[in-house]
Amino acid sequence: MRTLPALLVVALVVLAGCSTGFTGGDPFGDDTAPAPTATDPGPGDGEEPTDESTPTPTPDGFDFADPDQDRLGWEGGYWYNESLAYNASDGLNETERRALVARSMARVEHLRELEFRERVPIRVINRSTYQSQYAGGDANHTAEFRTFDNAKFESLFLIGEGQNSLNVQNQNRGSNVLGFYSPKNDSIVVVSDSTPPTLRDELTLGHELTHALQDQVYNLSNYTRPTRETYNAYNGLFEGDSHYTEQLYRQQCDSGWNCLSLPSEGGSGGGSDIHFGVYFLNFFPYSDGPPFVRHHRDAGGWDRVDAMYEDPPASSEQVISPEKYGEDQPTNVSLTDRNEGVWERVRPAPPREGQTRPAYASLGQSAMSAMFAYTITDPYNRSAVDGAREFINRDGGQVDRQDPFNYDLRWTSGWDGDRMHIYRNATAAAETNGSTNATAYVWKSVWDSPEDARQFARGYRLLLEHWKGERVSGDRVEYVYEVDRLPFEDAFRVRVDGDTVVITNAPTVDDLEEVRPDLVTSGVSVDDSGSGSGGSSDSGETAAAMGGA
């Protein structure tokens, strides 16, 4: 097994706030996250504290008297810059926790310049409780959904054929989550590594309170994020806003605010249990979201950020490159099914009644960058498509805590849209009573220019070679590779046609022709011609229909 680069190990410490975000949608883009089923009355509920835990005025002439009516920066009897008198060496009692939460709400108000409309229930649990209650397996999902999700993560070369992608993702989440906010229950859960569970600092609390504030003002439940790409794009704003506010909170704690900070106890919650590829995929909003929000706040204040909730980013590319927000809309890629023989389209049903979801995947620039970046850390071999220097941002020789990862890699720069259809060998599944799910996919991506498309295809060829793929045929415009070793044993055909790249995957080279016949006329490719910008067709048109891809 390879030794992880020292900088990458250091980079893990930047994880702060919630790694699952709020549970209004799935952190993996498929609405599968379990919502909290119960909320314990905690330090955000009930009456105000009335014991001797009185605030100590800061000696700056500030008038700490309670205002006649609610004010920005004041909540529940506490101003944002008050000091609290408590003995936190053995944890906080209930009254002290209530006071801390009220002051934290006031601080978030002061930093974010928005007013809370109501108090927020807080529950503090230990990691084992979180893992048992919220980070469950895939028992609630249909076979079609599991097949779809497995194939999607296999297409990114993150989770191999022999693993259950939902279980791997849930394990990752259970290992590193620090807390989350649930719009469904209007409540916060903070995860502690202490025994008994203890609220040990204000930063995670401030991060989650920002999500609660977002929900009270903008109603987070109204935002539909049906694909990985829309999930990461929207979270660039939602998590970027919360994480940027947390960064401002930290700066104030470092420069004068009286802040709770107890030494950590127990495990770190991460370490060897983390799947780095999934980690890179999910960390995107925390890395690139804060600079995105800071860019727009610097340009137009919090008013400009507030206005973005009416028009969230349309792509992760707009988060990666903030100047593209509102200017560079992604292509709405269309893709026509041409599968033949035993191959049938996989169309997962919505996970819960009343929900909708498309029968295709869109992965986006951030996910594609995670696909390449995972080669830095995977234990498969000693090669890497991009090294740590390309993916890990530095600030003065150290990992940049504000923006640790670079998702604008040379292979993914110029992304303009993508769409993936997933297929299953129906005969194999029937003969094994569903225990065998031989899958395939067609992944079409559109780029800003033919050169960007060729650059992605070059990087993808290096990716296949990293996973021990060998060229069967082809050239720079079209090539076929076979990977004959697990965990990604398959055949791949890659075709570049102008600004478009089409990847066809199947178990064998022969299967490629049934999943997507290789249509060539007079030596000129007509398969997937055009950018597909004319719509998002989800039909099963035949090759004769042609049109867009």
Side-chain angles (χ1 to χ4, degrees), residues 21 67 71 100 103 125 208 227 300 351 363 390 459 537:
R71 292 270 301 278
L100 180 71
R103 188 184 67 175
I125 62 175
E208 302 308 336
T227 67
L363 302 176
E390 287 77 25
S537 171

Side-chain angles (χ1 to χ4, degrees), residues 435-513:
S435 62
T436 298
N437 284 318
T439 56
Y441 57 83
V442 176
W443 188 9
K444 178 184 177 184
S445 56
V446 177
W447 301 82
D448 289 338
S449 69
E451 175 53 34
D452 291 326
R454 291 192 295 270
Q455 181 79 334
F456 170 72
R458 284 193 290 268
Y460 194 82
R461 184 172 65 250
L462 294 176
L463 189 70
L464 292 171
E465 291 171 355
H466 167 85
W467 294 108
K468 298 301 182 184
E470 295 185 359
R471 185 194 296 265
V472 174
S473 62
D475 52 29
R476 290 180 297 175
V477 175
E478 179 179 0
Y479 55 82
V480 175
Y481 267 69
E482 277 188 302
V483 177
D484 61 3
R485 303 182 190 181
L486 294 174
F488 301 113
E489 184 178 15
D490 267 333
F492 301 81
R493 185 176 70 219
V494 180
R495 168 169 286 166
V496 182
D497 187 3
D499 62 0
T500 300
V501 179
V502 178
I503 299 170
T504 304
N505 164 274
T508 68
V509 172
D510 290 341
D511 289 327
L512 291 174
E513 289 303 310

Side-chain angles (χ1 to χ4, degrees), residues 74-105:
W74 178 90
E75 280 293 325
Y78 297 92
W79 287 97
Y80 70 93
N81 55 348
E82 288 194 42
S83 294
L84 298 178
Y86 46 66
N87 179 6
S89 60
D90 58 351
L92 303 177
N93 62 38
E94 182 176 337
T95 299
E96 291 168 338
R97 286 174 59 188
R98 290 179 186 276
L100 180 71
V101 170
R103 188 184 67 175
S104 295
M105 292 176 67

Side-chain angles (χ1 to χ4, degrees), residues 15 97 112 152 175 200 263 316 452 537:
L15 179 61
R97 286 174 59 188
R112 189 54 184 82
K152 184 174 64 177
S175 295
R200 310 193 68 82
S316 60
D452 291 326
S537 171

Side-chain angles (χ1 to χ4, degrees), residues 192-215:
S192 168
D193 287 307
S194 303
T195 303
T198 304
L199 187 62
R200 310 193 68 82
D201 73 85
E202 294 185 38
L203 298 178
T204 298
L205 178 60
H207 182 114
E208 302 308 336
L209 283 170
T210 306
H211 282 316
L213 181 61
Q214 292 168 340
D215 191 35

